[in-house]
Amino acid sequence: MSAVQIDTATVDGPVTPGGGRETTAAAARRRLSKPWASLFAVVLAVLWTIPTLGLLVTSFRPATDINNSGWWTVLTNPNFTLENYETVLSSDSSQSLAPSIINSVVITIPAVVLPMFLATLAAYAFAWMNFRGRNVLFIAVFALQVVPIQVTLIPLLSLYVDIDIAGTFWAVWLSHTMFGLPLAVFLLHNFMQEIPGELIEAARVDGAGHVTIFFRLMLPMLKPAIAALGIYQFLWVWNDLLVALTFAGSSRDLAPMTVALLNLTGTRGSQWFLLSAGAFVSIIIPAIVFLSLQRYFVRGLLAGSVKG
Amino acid sequence: MQAADKLVGMVVALVAFAVVIGAILLVVHLLERRGARRVAWWFIGPTLLLIAVGLVYPALRTVWRSLYDAAGTSFIGLGNYTDIFTSGEQLVVLRNTVLWVLVTPFVATVVGLIYAILVDGAKGEAAAKALIFLPMAISFVGASIIWKFMYEYRFYDPAVENNPNQIGFINQIIVWLGGTPQNFLLNSPWNNFFLIAVMIWIQAGFAMTILSAAIKAIPSEITEAARLDGVSSLQLFRFVTVPSIRPTLIVVLTTIAIGCLKVFDIVRTMTAGRYGTSVVANEFYTQSFSAGNQGLGAALAVLLFVLVVPIIVYNVHHLRKASR
């Protein structure tokens, strides 16, 4: 490869298309004999896109076509329909996934709102109030992020049976709230600490109580942080399978989309016309949230990497 | 239950929550007016209660439960743990978990790193990155369905003329190349790699995004100095890029490794752990909820905990370095 030779002609450093100075990676890429590098990148991008594209195309094909020929044959023999989506979304078909879509929504909204609000309250106390055992408790909450939820499922389930909320949305909401709290408290606490202490002191001197400070000062200033975490929790809950499977089961009254889709993969071979359309309905909502708020989310990714 | 009922139920629950929290805060507000100073417990109380009930107590009970037999009646000490490390079935589970944890982080990170370098500063960088990043936005269940369709197999007999059309893309490629289609998800131990491919497909985008940001943060003075010294691009990569992003590389590797240790959704959706593809997190579910052996299930959950903790501690340590 030519890259091994020392290329003195490039010492002056040509400028990148963007106009700025080159980064190391740009330099490396340029010297890796460019056509090959570009080709390789394109091949990777195609490889990464084909699986999704295949199922997307499939979701618009008639059920008989799906089972008799590959999705790539639409290039020579295009035949599309919206029937699969109609079946999945209709409210009266027995094959409809509409109930599970509703369940996903009903599960997700409280499972995001509850932990976010409780965590903001707790984080405020940990950051700006003095009380005995503050540090010990905070470290304990931080450390509890590492507990894998598997460890908690069965005792929680029997607890829910005891207090008679097993098989209701409450079991799912409460579980997501409990599992989401440690990370949310920890991250919001970090954000809160960045707020200058003089602001809070000034408010205290003016006679404002903690409740007033919390609503008037903290919530408005923390909006971006709460939004970022809220998106993270939203994706976590919407895409969750384990918690839903354990506490909502497969009942049509409770099971969210992930569980409904899982059940479709198991029964009577795979009904690809339902699966493909159903999968894309379940993907499209988080994808929209994700792409429109990507900037917030990427920041939260690393932070979330600690979660157990 | 009708959709409207469910939505109403949800709104009622939200209102109930708001009323309870509102009442608590009102009490605190009134207490403060009267000059009370110690109100912190009202703020952290709900969170501490939920964490204690939802995490601490169940975790302790699970540890205790793991020392009992399947029915939960007789104490068998570490019997369940000996089972995990001696029974043939459980050893396959452990082997698969090791495979996941060793292969996935490495391959996903290498792919992500190469891609990040290749598209860095190129035209259409944002779009190119979005393509690799998109699988991150798809649920594990959705990704598994997408790949199950890629692997789909239709019965094929090489001795017969009229075989049915393959509808899975990978098998069709094999047919085009003159090979015999395979039932990818059935043949152990190779099927494990086809499941792992799904995780790589998802995690490469994560690796790419984080590493790309780290690469862009390398000061250009360092690069330019290296270039003035006349180093080749491979040397630049080896001696400048990689050492500069080393803390980030470690965080990415360990984060993906943690994800692999706890992988459940993919295995559940692709094979439900059959055909020798089960992993610890899936086996926990199977033993606890379908095989009726809650003792073994509990032990597997505790094992998961024990395996995850050191990696997370290591990760947190490097995360601090990386964010400095």
Side-chain angles (χ1 to χ4, degrees), chain B residues 18-94:
Chain B
V19 168
V20 170
I21 295 293
I24 291 177
L25 289 177
L26 188 68
V27 169
V28 177
H29 189 63
L30 294 176
L31 284 176
E32 281 191 310
R33 279 237 178 129
R34 293 191 181 172
R37 308 289 298 172
R38 309 196 170 279
V39 291
W41 293 103
W42 293 92
F43 277 70
I44 53 170
T47 296
L48 288 185
L49 180 75
L50 281 170
I51 288 179
V53 172
L55 292 175
V56 179
Y57 159 78
L60 293 176
R61 250 188 83 171
T62 298
V63 172
W64 188 239
R65 182 69 183 81
S66 73
L67 305 175
Y68 281 79
D69 66 350
T73 45
S74 53
F75 186 87
I76 54 168
L78 295 177
N80 288 316
Y81 295 93
T82 351
D83 260 12
I84 296 176
F85 291 99
T86 50
S87 96
E89 217 176 295
Q90 296 303 320
L91 283 175
V92 171
V93 171
L94 288 184

Side-chain angles (χ1 to χ4, degrees), chain A residues 5 9 15 24-25 57 119 124 131 148 162 165 174 182 215 271 274 279 291:
Chain A
Q5 297 166 0
V15 186
T24 43
V57 170
Y124 174 76
F131 56 93
D162 289 343
I165 59 164
L174 278 177
F215 280 106
Q271 305 182 30
L274 285 177
L291 291 178

Side-chain angles (χ1 to χ4, degrees), chain B residues 31 40 102 123 128 192 236 255 269:
Chain B
L31 284 176
L102 289 184
K123 257 186 205 166
N192 282 296
L236 192 69
T255 302
T269 315

